[in-house]
Amino acid sequence: MSDKQDNPVAVIPRRWSQLGRAALSFVLVSACCATTAVAQRGWDFSVGAGVYTENVYSGSDDYYLTPLPTFKAMYTRGGLSYSISLLEGLGVTYMNQQRGFLASVTINAGDRRNSEQYSVVGFDVDHSDKTRTLLRDSPDSFTQIYVSTTFAYPTPVGMVGASLGYYPTTVEYNRDGIDDEVRHGFLYSLLYVIQQPVTDRISLLGMSSLEFMSREYAGAWYSVEKELEALKEFNACAGLRDAQVAFQVGYRLSNRLSMSLDYLGTVLLGDAKRSPYTVEQLQQTIGVQTSYSF
């Protein structure tokens, strides 16, 4: 991975999107299990810092490592919580305490795949020579903003749920005579979430999911419409996209200070796995962070 960094990009860092998806997995688990927190009223804030590593784009076998500041503000009144976060974006969550039912809507920055660079914490960084050769002359795909809705319900063995995400994706072909286009893609997920306290200070949160993609999403991210130097022509269809497992091991240092180890593993399936863009089937996000609440 090149260490060269260019000028800062968008105000909402696009490369935080995958980290945001991992963070949302842990937030969903916490919200489902910690029902008493929803009953509290008023503002809650947290700040922190950590170190994360993940793939430079979905399907790559190149990784980057970066320090990462975190911030979150949440306002709760009754069963409704409103939040804004560097990782999780904007969110509204409703919790029915009597039945344990949870519903949430999230707005956040989406994924990006560029043939020359990837973006990390607001900075563009050159791809490795290997990845640049693979992506040479390929279209650039990016989702500026996505919207996701999640529903979850308790069972005797954990929470089960489903989510629907809308991902309007711009495809820039970078070739004369071919106009850029926006593809209105969707992702659908089935979810299972669970919390297991280990000690008074240590907790384990977990999530597993199975994700499906629409034809428009598949075409925007996994199709190769014209054979290129390193990419064969490929027509990606709707169907399975991935299976995910996420967990968070948390350690409470005090009432306000905590640490966590976060992991998100994604196994690409179906045409997402078969796509010429996919070099590595297993995609991983790993992070360690410390946060202070007030």
Side-chain angles (χ1 to χ4, degrees), residues 14-15 56-57 111-119 124-127 131-132 135-136 138-142 172 174 221:
R14 288 172 288 184
R15 201 47 231 168
V56 298
Y57 74 85
D111 290 341
R112 176 195 187 201
R113 185 183 63 229
N114 182 281
S115 59
E116 295 292 332
Q117 299 172 320
Y118 61 94
S119 185
D124 280 349
V125 182
D126 289 343
H127 280 307
T131 298
R132 192 183 301 110
L135 299 180
R136 182 173 295 143
S138 67
D140 296 337
S141 297
F142 60 90
E172 297 181 344
N174 301 320
W221 292 100

Side-chain angles (χ1 to χ4, degrees), residues 262-279:
D262 306 334
Y263 176 83
L264 173 66
T266 301
V267 179
L268 296 176
L269 302 171
D271 280 355
K273 171 188 173 182
R274 291 185 283 268
S275 171
Y277 287 112
T278 299
V279 182

Side-chain angles (χ1 to χ4, degrees), residues 38 41 47 70 83 85 108 111 161 174 206 212 214 228 259 266 275:
V38 182
R41 291 188 176 189
V47 294
T70 60
S83 64
S85 167
N108 204 352
D111 290 341
N174 301 320
F212 302 83
S214 69
L228 302 172
M259 298 180 63
T266 301
S275 171

Side-chain angles (χ1 to χ4, degrees), residues 72 74 91-92 102 118 123 137 140 158 166 200 218 242 247 250 281-283:
K72 183 175 182 178
M74 176 182 292
V92 179
L102 178 142
Y118 61 94
F123 292 88
D137 297 325
D140 296 337
Y166 170 54
D200 291 341
D242 61 61
F247 69 81
Q281 183 183 6
L282 176 61
Q283 305 287 286

Side-chain angles (χ1 to χ4, degrees), residues 46-292:
S46 66
V47 294
V51 178
Y52 275 81
T53 182
E54 70 164 353
N55 306 79
V56 298
Y57 74 85
S58 179
S60 175
D61 62 349
D62 277 345
Y63 285 80
Y64 72 85
L65 179 70
T66 183
L68 185 70
T70 60
F71 168 79
K72 183 175 182 178
M74 176 182 292
Y75 178 76
T76 302
R77 183 172 184 178
L80 281 172
S81 295
Y82 309 88
S83 64
I84 181 171
S85 167
L86 288 177
L87 284 180
E88 301 148 32
L90 301 173
V92 179
T93 300
Y94 169 74
M95 169 66 79
N96 184 312
Q97 283 190 287
Q98 293 181 340
R99 298 183 179 181
F101 173 77
L102 178 142
S104 68
V105 178
T106 301
I107 302 174
N108 204 352
D111 290 341
R112 176 195 187 201
R113 185 183 63 229
N114 182 281
S115 59
E116 295 292 332
Q117 299 172 320
Y118 61 94
S119 185
V120 122
V121 194
F123 292 88
D124 280 349
V125 182
D126 289 343
H127 280 307
S128 67
D129 291 341
K130 177 185 63 176
T131 298
R132 192 183 301 110
T133 298
L134 175 70
L135 299 180
R136 182 173 295 143
D137 297 325
S138 67
D140 296 337
S141 297
F142 60 90
T143 301
Q144 292 283 14
I145 298 291
Y146 74 86
V147 181
S148 181
T149 303
T150 301
F151 302 92
Y153 202 83
T155 73
V157 292
M159 301 286 295
V160 295
S163 69
L164 169 64
Y166 170 54
Y167 293 78
T169 301
T170 300
V171 182
E172 297 181 344
Y173 288 97
N174 301 320
R175 297 196 300 270
D176 293 338
I178 302 180
D179 293 332
D180 300 340
E181 60 179 328
V182 177
R183 299 193 177 186
H184 300 277
F186 290 86
L187 291 177
Y188 319 85
S189 299
L190 300 175
L191 309 166
Y192 171 72
V193 293
I194 192 170
Q195 179 187 43
Q196 181 61 52
V198 180
T199 69
D200 291 341
R201 292 183 176 270
I202 302 174
S203 62
L204 177 63
L205 312 179
M207 185 205 76
S208 61
S209 70
L210 193 63
E211 194 166 48
F212 302 83
M213 59 184 175
S214 69
R215 185 176 182 85
E216 287 292 295
Y217 187 96
W221 292 100
Y222 299 109
S223 288
V224 180
E225 298 184 357
K226 179 181 178 182
E227 184 169 345
L228 302 172
E229 181 178 343
L231 297 172
K232 294 183 179 180
E233 185 176 345
F234 182 77
N235 180 30
C237 298
L240 270 174
R241 179 186 184 267
D242 61 61
Q244 293 186 343
V245 175
F247 69 81
Q248 181 183 79
V249 180
Y251 182 74
R252 184 170 55 86
L253 298 169
S254 68
N255 289 336
R256 296 185 179 275
L257 187 63
S258 61
M259 298 180 63
S260 68
L261 169 65
D262 306 334
Y263 176 83
L264 173 66
T266 301
V267 179
L268 296 176
L269 302 171
D271 280 355
K273 171 188 173 182
R274 291 185 283 268
S275 171
Y277 287 112
T278 299
V279 182
E280 176 63 52
Q281 183 183 6
L282 176 61
Q283 305 287 286
Q284 300 182 89
T285 300
I286 304 172
V288 177
Q289 65 171 320
T290 300
S291 62
Y292 179 79

